[in-house]
Amino acid sequence: MARSGGGGCCPSMDLMRSEAMQLVQVIIPAESAHLTVSYLGDLGLLQFKDLNADKSPFQRTYAAQIKRCSEMARKLRFFKEQMSKAGISTSSAQLIETRWDFDELEIKLGELETELTEVNANNEKLQRTYNELLEYNTVLQKAGEFFYSAQRNATAQQRELESSQSGQPSLESPLLEQEMSTDPSKQVKLGSLSGLVPKEKAMAFERILFRATRGNIFLRQEPVDEPVTDPSSGEKVPKNTFVIFYSGERVKAKILKICDAFNANRYPFPDDVGKQLHAVQEVSGKISELKATIEMGLAHRDGILKSIASDFEQWNLLAKREKSIYHTLNMLSVDVTKKCLVGEGWSPVFASSQIQDALQRATVDSKSQVGSIFQVLNTKESPPTYFRTNKFTSAFQEIVDAYGVAKYQEANPGVFTIVTFPFLFAVMFGDWGHGICLLLATLYLIIREKKLASQKLGDIMEMMFGGRYVIFMMSLFSIYTGLIYNEFFSVPFELFGKSAYACRDPSCRDATTDGLIKVRDTYPFGVDPVWHGSRSELPFLNSLKMKMSILLGVAQMNLGIVMSYFNAKFFRSSINVWYMFVPQLIFLNSLFGYLSLLIIVKWCTGSKADLYHVMIYMFLSPTDELGENQLFSGQKTLQLVLLLLALVSVPWMLIPKPILLKKQHEQRHQGHQYTMLQGADESVGAELGEHHEDSNDHEEFEFSEVFVHQLIHTIEFVLGAVSNTASYLRLWALSLAHSELSSVFYDKVLLLAWGYNSIPILIIGIVIFVFATVGVLLVMETLSAFLHALRLHWVEFQNKFYEGDGYKFAPFSFALIRDEED
């Protein structure tokens, strides 16, 4: 396994490597197990291993306790839903002030749930009755109006019949005036049903009634002016009032079934006018009484919820803590004697004394007669990776961990990412005006971070708040590169002195480089402002940014190869040093290191040599004379040497390593194959997977597999040296795109609006310019440059040395519980 590296009681200050980890065993008496695990959760420096992985959750020792905790969590979720409906927010003011006992809290939550459920049931019953009375009151009013109108019409018709003694009665009169018939023997007693039906179902309701009764009914519908609260669903529903007159019990039974099918609520309606008035008064009185009762019930429920809200956060945290404690206890092995629990886990070496102190305090506080035992175990298992971070470095570490968690004691790219990531972003986003905008937005998040940390933010705002220090560094570097490019919303400024050039003719905008004369010393910092707006601006900046991108890319790739050397030295892998690091460094710098040298020489000498021609014919015609493309004496000889070194380095990477690995494997397994050869290279174990627990020391060495793996790695590096260098040209492309977009918005929006000499047009132009700048340059371009910088780190930089196949140290810690969702 990899060596531990470091030790002692103090944490390592080496940010490049993971904290030294150790596998420890704790033996805890049963009577102090709960308190011990609780203290270890407060400490948060021990990651327990599950020693009962073969058991189901229901077969574990503390399954009943976890069920109790889950039941408490269910009750708390119920309380939270009720408080959310009532618009009552929880309070964390007494989060640390009071301590609740688990059993007492369980009883308290049960009593509160019972009381709240009973209050809700009563309120729902009263509300349903109240809604029914409201519907009944509506039916009485609408049906009363209908009956009054029908009665008046029937009386008028009866008078006409009595006076004329001739003519046919209307369709309505036989139904409405049966009791007024002059012949009592022919009287037919009609029944009536009244109620409310949903408006959207009214037409279908009417058709079904007429089909089912074959038209032997009389139906009258009247829409209700406002939506009515339905007693069943409690929702506002547009409804129609209906009155049905029928004859016969069989017809009545059909009508009742149809009403039930259409959710038509039926209510009794008295025939007598006096009884109708009495019913209206009685219903109105009951509505008033019920309304007062409901309000008292709601006030009582709100009082219960407010009392719950004051302690809710504390109860919720306690329930989570208890559940996590019992989950952890279920990971421990119960001794046969049932008197102690045995746990194993990973902890940093520096945390040994703190863990022992926690064990001792738990023994004393639980009044246990037997103390806990702490001991370090020897293992070949690969430990977890633990980098201690703060609020500034955590976001940068998350960028690295999103690609893959570092293998234990592997070099941490996060240290370099703190500088290189925002710098590469700024190369693509170089504008100190835009950088200031990012800086102001980030400073708001940083200054108010305590307040914002306690608030519930949206997904995008949560992401921005988590990466506020990354954006802060990105903005600072953007201001720096913007000053180098001399761009402030695409406008140049003479911040560091006067331009070194002057124009021969009055029109500087159309001047070429031949039309400029140098009148003073070179501009001291960044790009001379005279280049901006000239015809030579684009060719000049293209050349500058493209070559600068190559220099930055080659420098970062060399850093990655150098980091592979430190990894190989740390893991004592001399094979990787001599047959991976050395040929890779030679190959990369023989080609693209040489190209970087040519760029610098050309800048320093002012030569007009064609570097494309030099690099292409270095391979196609290495012996030809360079002619005007020669930048220094001995260049042809140097190119031949570098080309030869590049060609030699490829088989250097490919062939020796598999052969040496096979030889070392044979040396390790000669004789009885029981002991490892002293001084053998640790890289052999790493290559063969022997760092794993219970490694197969007698596994056959597959030379073909190792050779194919090395062949793939070699081809990947050789081709990647070209493609990765070309990939860094995205720094030039995005920088150019950002600059040109900014220039377009400034020239074609702001200056164009300014030229109209109109205040309304100028205001419109300013608004468009602001929205375009914010939406495109400060949002979309920021995201684009961020993603490209991310790719350059993950693919072009980290693939040179970073395996990222480890797993993160995840200790049992109560500090993480508060952030978990229910």
Side-chain angles (χ1 to χ4, degrees):
M1 63 172 290
R3 63 174 181 172
S4 301
C9 62
C10 297
S12 170
M13 298 305 294
D14 184 9
L15 299 177
M16 286 295 300
R17 308 281 174 189
S18 166
E19 295 287 348
M21 307 296 290
Q22 59 188 0
L23 182 64
V24 301
Q25 184 184 64
V26 289
I27 302 175
I28 311 169
E31 62 269 18
S32 63
H34 183 278
L35 191 61
T36 301
V37 173
S38 177
Y39 285 176
L40 291 175
D42 289 327
L43 187 62
L45 288 173
L46 182 58
Q47 176 181 334
F48 286 96
K49 296 173 63 176
D50 190 359
L51 302 181
N52 300 311
D54 56 334
K55 294 182 180 180
S56 69
F58 303 103
Q59 294 175 328
R60 304 201 180 200
T61 309
Y62 296 94
Q65 287 82 348
I66 289 181
K67 186 177 180 181
R68 289 171 59 193
C69 295
S70 300
E71 183 65 17
M72 290 175 63
R74 182 195 63 77
K75 294 173 183 176
L76 288 168
R77 287 195 299 272
F78 169 68
F79 295 154
K80 190 171 184 179
E81 291 172 1
Q82 294 295 313
M83 287 187 291
S84 177
K85 290 180 181 178
I88 298 173
S89 58
T90 59
S91 173
S92 57
Q94 298 180 352
L95 198 58
I96 317 256
E97 292 180 8
T98 336
R99 297 284 294 183
W100 282 80
D101 180 72
F102 183 71
D103 295 328
E104 291 178 358
L105 179 59
E106 187 177 23
I107 297 172
K108 178 71 174 177
L109 293 181
E111 294 173 350
L112 287 172
E113 184 190 29
T114 303
E115 183 179 6
L116 192 58
T117 304
E118 184 178 349
V119 169
N120 285 340
N122 291 335
N123 285 341
E124 289 175 4
K125 187 176 180 181
L126 291 172
Q127 190 66 45
R128 183 183 178 88
T129 306
Y130 178 74
N131 293 333
E132 289 176 350
L133 287 173
L134 288 177
E135 283 198 340
Y136 190 17
N137 189 43
T138 303
V139 170
L140 288 174
Q141 292 177 0
K142 289 291 182 180
E145 294 175 359
F146 166 67
F147 267 82
Y148 175 74
S149 174
Q151 187 73 27
R152 185 177 56 189
N153 293 336
T155 304
Q157 290 178 8
Q158 182 67 22
R159 288 173 181 173
E160 291 178 3
L161 286 172
E162 289 176 353
S163 61
S164 63
Q165 296 295 323
S166 64
Q168 295 299 323
S170 67
L171 291 175
E172 293 184 357
S173 59
L175 294 169
L176 300 175
E177 54 184 83
Q178 292 297 334
E179 293 181 357
M180 298 181 179
S181 177
T182 56
D183 188 359
S185 63
K186 294 182 179 180
Q187 288 184 0
V188 178
K189 184 66 176 177
L190 292 179
S192 66
L193 287 174
S194 57
L196 293 169
V197 65
K199 196 171 185 178
E200 59 181 9
K201 301 179 180 179
M203 295 301 296
F205 178 65
E206 185 174 345
R207 286 196 300 268
I208 295 296
L209 280 174
F210 273 93
R211 289 176 183 175
T213 61
R214 298 182 180 180
N216 292 321
I217 62 165
F218 177 76
L219 172 66
R220 178 71 179 268
Q221 294 192 70
E222 188 74 25
V224 182
D225 297 335
E226 296 181 357
V228 181
T229 304
D230 188 76
S232 301
S233 63
E235 298 178 354
K236 293 279 187 179
V237 181
K239 291 191 175 184
N240 283 1
T241 305
F242 67 86
V243 179
I244 306 172
F245 292 95
Y246 62 89
S247 176
E249 292 298 321
R250 293 182 62 185
V251 175
K252 180 181 179 181
K254 290 181 179 180
I255 294 173
L256 293 177
K257 289 181 180 179
I258 293 171
C259 288
D260 292 338
F262 281 85
N263 295 325
N265 299 328
R266 304 179 304 277
Y267 298 96
F269 187 83
D271 298 336
D272 185 71
V273 176
K275 291 181 179 180
Q276 291 176 13
L277 295 174
H278 178 71
V280 170
Q281 293 175 356
E282 185 179 1
V283 169
S284 299
K286 288 183 178 179
I287 287 175
S288 301
E289 293 176 1
L290 269 178
K291 186 175 182 181
T293 306
I294 289 172
E295 289 177 353
M296 292 176 60
L298 291 176
H300 178 54
R301 190 190 69 168
D302 287 348
I304 297 173
L305 292 176
K306 286 178 181 178
S307 66
I308 293 173
S310 61
D311 292 323
F312 179 82
E313 292 295 338
Q314 184 182 356
W315 294 347
N316 193 34
L317 182 59
L318 178 60
K320 288 181 178 180
R321 283 172 60 104
E322 290 295 319
K323 189 173 184 179
S324 64
I325 288 173
Y326 287 117
H327 267 303
T328 303
L329 288 172
N330 273 339
M331 297 169 69
L332 308 185
S333 175
V334 180
D335 192 77
V336 181
T337 61
K338 303 291 184 181
K339 292 183 179 180
C340 66
L341 287 84
V342 180
E344 293 182 7
W346 296 101
S347 75
V349 173
F350 72 83
S352 298
S353 60
Q354 300 177 45
I355 295 174
Q356 291 177 14
D357 290 342
L359 296 177
Q360 186 176 1
R361 281 191 293 110
T363 302
V364 174
D365 293 346
S366 63
K367 299 179 181 179
S368 174
Q369 297 180 354
V370 181
S372 299
I373 300 174
F374 173 88
Q375 56 186 358
V376 179
L377 302 178
N378 294 322
T379 180
K380 292 183 178 180
E381 186 179 354
S382 180
T385 299
Y386 176 40
F387 296 113
R388 296 200 304 159
T389 58
N390 52 36
K391 63 182 181 180
F392 178 79
T393 59
S394 60
F396 293 99
Q397 190 62 50
E398 286 296 328
I399 290 175
V400 175
D401 291 343
Y403 174 82
V405 179
K407 183 175 66 176
Y408 178 63
Q409 295 291 346
E410 185 179 16
N412 180 22
V415 178
F416 303 99
T417 303
I418 296 173
V419 175
T420 59
F421 184 87
F423 178 70
L424 291 185
F425 168 88
V427 171
M428 296 178 276
F429 195 79
D431 187 302
W432 61 280
H434 298 153
I436 289 174
C437 294
L438 279 184
L439 180 62
L440 294 177
T442 313
L443 286 177
Y444 171 79
L445 297 177
I446 294 175
I447 292 171
R448 304 194 62 184
E449 64 181 10
K450 290 185 179 180
K451 184 176 181 180
L452 293 174
S454 60
Q455 295 180 358
K456 186 69 175 178
L457 304 175
D459 292 338
I460 296 178
M461 280 301 297
E462 189 74 32
M463 191 181 304
M464 288 183 61
F465 180 74
R468 60 194 180 279
Y469 288 103
V470 177
I471 304 175
F472 175 73
M473 293 293 290
M474 286 159 45
S475 64
L476 292 182
F477 278 94
S478 296
I479 294 173
Y480 170 73
T481 55
L483 292 173
I484 291 179
Y485 296 158
N486 202 345
E487 292 185 5
F488 178 85
F489 295 99
S490 79
V491 180
F493 286 91
E494 294 181 340
L495 294 177
F496 302 98
K498 293 290 184 179
S499 170
Y501 296 92
C503 301
R504 296 181 186 273
D505 56 342
S507 177
C508 282
R509 186 169 184 80
D510 295 329
T512 62
T513 51
D514 294 334
L516 296 174
I517 55 174
K518 192 170 184 179
V519 295
R520 58 182 65 89
D521 293 337
T522 304
Y523 193 69
F525 183 83
V527 176
D528 195 310
V530 78
W531 289 104
H532 292 274
S534 67
R535 293 171 57 185
S536 302
E537 176 187 9
L538 196 58
F540 171 74
L541 292 180
N542 260 344
S543 176
L544 171 68
K545 293 181 178 181
M546 180 177 62
K547 293 171 182 174
M548 183 179 66
S549 300
I550 293 175
L551 293 177
L552 293 175
V554 173
Q556 190 175 33
M557 288 190 292
N558 271 294
L559 175 61
I561 296 176
V562 171
M563 291 308 302
S564 70
Y565 165 77
F566 287 108
N567 271 339
K569 288 294 290 183
F570 185 87
F571 293 117
R572 297 202 296 269
S573 175
S574 58
I575 288 181
N576 284 342
V577 172
W578 291 107
Y579 304 104
M580 294 292 291
F581 162 71
V582 173
Q584 285 181 0
L585 195 65
I586 291 175
F587 182 85
L588 180 66
N589 289 288
S590 295
L591 303 179
F592 299 104
Y594 174 62
L595 174 61
S596 302
L597 175 65
L598 293 180
I599 291 173
I600 295 173
V601 171
K602 183 177 179 180
W603 279 348
C604 295
T605 60
S607 171
K608 295 184 179 181
D610 186 357
L611 299 186
Y612 296 108
H613 186 279
V614 173
M615 292 303 298
I616 290 173
Y617 284 93
M618 177 178 172
F619 292 92
L620 298 180
S621 302
T623 58
D624 289 355
E625 294 296 329
L626 296 174
E628 61 181 8
N629 290 323
Q630 183 167 338
L631 285 91
F632 53 89
S633 60
Q635 182 178 351
K636 178 181 175 182
T637 305
L638 177 62
Q639 288 185 180
L640 290 172
V641 173
L642 292 177
L643 184 61
L644 180 62
L645 288 174
L647 295 176
V648 169
S649 61
V650 175
W652 191 352
M653 277 187 283
L654 175 63
I655 299 173
K657 184 175 177 179
I659 296 174
L660 292 174
L661 288 177
K662 179 175 177 61
K663 181 179 178 182
Q664 288 190 355
H665 177 78
E666 292 173 350
Q667 291 177 348
R668 292 179 59 213
H669 292 81
Q670 64 182 344
H672 296 287
Q673 300 183 353
Y674 289 137
T675 59
M676 207 171 167
L677 196 65
Q678 294 295 326
D681 198 325
E682 288 189 5
S683 63
V684 182
E687 294 291 334
L688 299 180
E690 294 179 352
H691 60 282
H692 297 291
E693 191 175 11
D694 300 328
S695 62
N696 297 323
D697 290 336
H698 307 290
E699 183 181 355
E700 288 294 329
F701 181 86
E702 294 290 341
F703 179 80
S704 59
E705 291 184 7
V706 176
F707 184 81
V708 169
H709 177 270
Q710 190 63 23
L711 176 63
I712 294 173
H713 193 282
T714 303
I715 295 174
E716 182 182 13
F717 180 82
V718 172
L719 297 180
V722 180
S723 64
N724 292 350
T725 305
S727 185
Y728 277 94
L729 293 177
R730 70 185 68 236
L731 298 174
W732 154 54
L734 266 77
S735 174
L736 182 64
H738 184 86
S739 176
E740 291 302 309
L741 276 174
S742 180
S743 178
V744 166
F745 291 150
Y746 178 75
D747 292 337
K748 303 302 180 183
V749 177
L750 199 59
L751 292 184
L752 189 64
W754 183 271
Y756 280 95
N757 293 324
S758 172
I759 299 298
I761 295 178
L762 179 61
I763 293 174
I764 294 173
I766 292 174
V767 170
I768 295 175
F769 176 76
V770 170
F771 277 93
T773 299
V774 173
V776 178
L777 297 177
L778 295 182
V779 177
M780 295 177 62
E781 282 286 303
T782 300
L783 181 60
S784 175
F786 181 92
L787 294 176
H788 283 283
L790 197 65
R791 182 239 155 79
L792 290 177
H793 279 77
W794 282 359
V795 179
E796 278 72 30
F797 173 53
Q798 292 179 186
N799 72 345
K800 302 292 187 297
F801 69 100
Y802 187 64
E803 295 183 19
D805 57 353
Y807 62 103
K808 189 180 291 188
F809 177 57
F812 170 58
S813 173
F814 291 142
L816 304 176
I817 294 178
R818 200 183 299 269
D819 300 328
E820 292 179 357
E821 294 291 335
D822 294 333

